[in-house]
Amino acid sequence: MDWHTLWKAVEPVLDDLATDESRFTGVTVLGVDEHVWHHTPHRTKEKGPKEMTGIVDLTRDDKGRTRARLLDLVPGRSGKVYETWLKDRGEAFTACVKVATLDPFRGYQNAIDAELEDAAAVLDAFHVTKLGVDVVDEVRRRVQQDTTGHRGRRDDPLYKVRNVLRAGADRLTQRQWDRLERYLPAGDPHGEVFLAWQCYQRLRSVYHQVDLTAAKRTAEQIVDTFHTCPVPEVARLGRTLRRWKEQFLGYFTTNRSTNGGTEALNGVIELHRRIARGFRNKDNYRLRMLLVGGGLTHQKLR
């Protein structure tokens, strides 16, 4: 059967289901993330902006499990796009949302401040940890240049431990510890990489502590101290965390709310886009992905 024939029969059913506002009922945890739906900048006029804003239902069930459900894909990546979508849902919807997870993008935070005043905004744990990893990499590359005058090469001490530095200390094998003890002092004469690595490990540890109260105390200490670090890259990270303090600490006051379900659903969407060999029409793309991850059910679609 030709795709156009099949889509002609399915599209009106999907369109009716997508416009049914009842599917937004009961959403208490909301996730948002940007999504790239095409990679053809030379066809921007035809396809529109390559970025879309994905909104996901991350509400937990009675057993505390999160079953991520795609609510919508909206063209564009900006706070205005997200704010308009929230405003269109109405006060009945926004009043029910208690937690709003996001990546550290100020535009989405502005939309949450405008339309979800009573919701607790929470930074995604993965992206916060990644900021720490990026700092270690930046310090390592800078020290590499300062001490050797060139980029990392195979026999350079810091290059030999580049992957070990990205791992969590609790996951290192004895062999990896031996590599750190052998090569890190040789390539890091002033201890800057080691200090950045310690800060990253401390940041990472707050998401692995069992006691949320103790974890929050550690996170507060990080916010209060990182910006005073003599390593400039760590100090910059500290200033970032200070600007996002409320959202950073929100993880520990909302029972570990995370944007992970949004990221996972984004992966599912990417998979189905590749299976379809891409889309040319953003409206068809939206409906197809709502069918994949939106939990749309109808007797004609079973």
Side-chain angles (χ1 to χ4, degrees):
M1 181 182 295
D2 181 75
W3 183 88
H4 298 88
T5 303
L6 178 62
W7 188 248
K8 186 177 180 180
V10 173
E11 181 182 13
V13 179
L14 286 178
D15 195 44
D16 290 341
L17 293 174
T19 55
D20 183 7
E21 291 290 322
S22 65
R23 66 191 183 90
F24 301 116
T25 304
V27 177
T28 59
V29 182
L30 197 63
V32 63
D33 191 21
E34 71 274 5
H35 170 75
V36 178
W37 79 281
H38 74 85
H39 298 271
T40 51
H42 59 285
R43 301 180 66 175
T44 301
K45 288 186 177 181
E46 176 185 342
K47 292 188 173 184
K50 64 179 182 179
E51 297 92 356
M52 300 185 86
T53 294
I55 300 102
V56 177
D57 176 16
L58 300 174
T59 305
R60 296 172 178 172
D61 60 19
D62 296 337
K63 296 183 179 180
R65 297 173 302 188
T66 300
R67 299 186 182 278
R69 179 172 62 96
L70 181 64
L71 296 178
D72 217 336
L73 282 173
V74 187
R77 176 188 180 266
S78 67
K80 187 64 177 178
V81 168
Y82 190 29
E83 182 179 345
T84 301
W85 186 89
L86 290 170
K87 190 175 297 183
D88 290 343
R89 301 286 74 76
E91 294 185 5
F93 172 81
T94 55
C96 290
V97 178
K98 304 304 179 185
V99 178
T101 63
L102 74 161
D103 302 341
F105 173 51
R106 186 56 64 180
Y108 291 153
Q109 180 60 54
N110 292 338
I112 293 172
D113 292 339
E115 296 298 326
L116 299 174
E117 297 179 359
D118 298 329
V122 180
L123 276 185
D124 182 47
F126 169 81
H127 285 83
V128 173
T129 305
K130 187 177 183 301
L131 291 177
V133 175
D134 292 343
V135 162
V136 175
D137 277 339
E138 289 176 18
V139 177
R140 177 185 59 79
R141 288 193 292 267
R142 176 174 60 78
V143 173
Q144 171 75 37
Q145 286 283 353
D146 292 343
T147 56
T148 66
H150 57 72
R151 295 177 58 184
R153 296 174 183 173
R154 183 181 61 182
D155 295 328
D156 293 332
L158 288 181
Y159 189 77
K160 287 178 179 290
V161 294
R162 67 192 187 284
N163 292 326
V164 180
L165 290 171
R166 298 187 185 110
D170 56 317
R171 296 186 177 183
L172 295 181
T173 64
Q174 186 57 50
R175 181 181 178 184
Q176 289 173 318
W177 277 113
D178 293 341
R179 288 176 65 85
L180 276 181
E181 293 174 359
R182 179 181 177 184
Y183 294 115
L184 196 55
D188 184 31
H190 302 294
E192 290 184 281
V193 177
F194 180 61
L195 180 55
W197 182 74
Q198 286 182 310
C199 291
Y200 158 59
Q201 296 299 331
R202 193 178 182 197
L203 178 62
R204 181 181 180 276
S205 70
V206 299
Y207 294 111
H208 294 269
Q209 295 186 33
V210 177
D211 186 351
L212 281 176
T213 302
K216 184 183 178 185
R217 285 198 298 268
T218 304
E220 290 172 339
Q221 292 171 359
I222 288 174
V223 173
D224 293 337
T225 58
F226 270 29
H227 70 284
T228 63
C229 182
V231 179
E233 292 85 353
V234 177
R236 187 189 67 229
L237 172 61
R239 293 191 294 271
T240 299
L241 293 176
R242 281 167 66 87
R243 289 194 297 270
W244 291 90
K245 178 179 180 179
E246 183 179 349
Q247 296 83 353
F248 174 45
L249 298 179
Y251 176 87
F252 310 99
T253 58
T254 59
N255 194 21
R256 304 183 190 275
S257 294
T258 175
N259 213 27
T262 307
E263 299 289 348
L265 197 53
N266 193 27
V268 173
I269 293 173
E270 295 274 359
L271 172 64
H272 283 269
R273 185 188 66 199
R274 290 194 297 270
I275 291 174
R277 301 293 191 272
F279 285 77
R280 288 182 292 181
N281 185 298
K282 66 178 182 298
D283 297 323
N284 291 346
Y285 183 79
R286 170 179 174 267
L287 291 177
R288 180 69 178 90
M289 298 314 164
L290 282 174
L291 177 60
V292 170
L296 302 183
T297 57
H298 190 278
Q299 186 175 1
K300 294 182 180 180
L301 298 177
R302 294 176 183 171

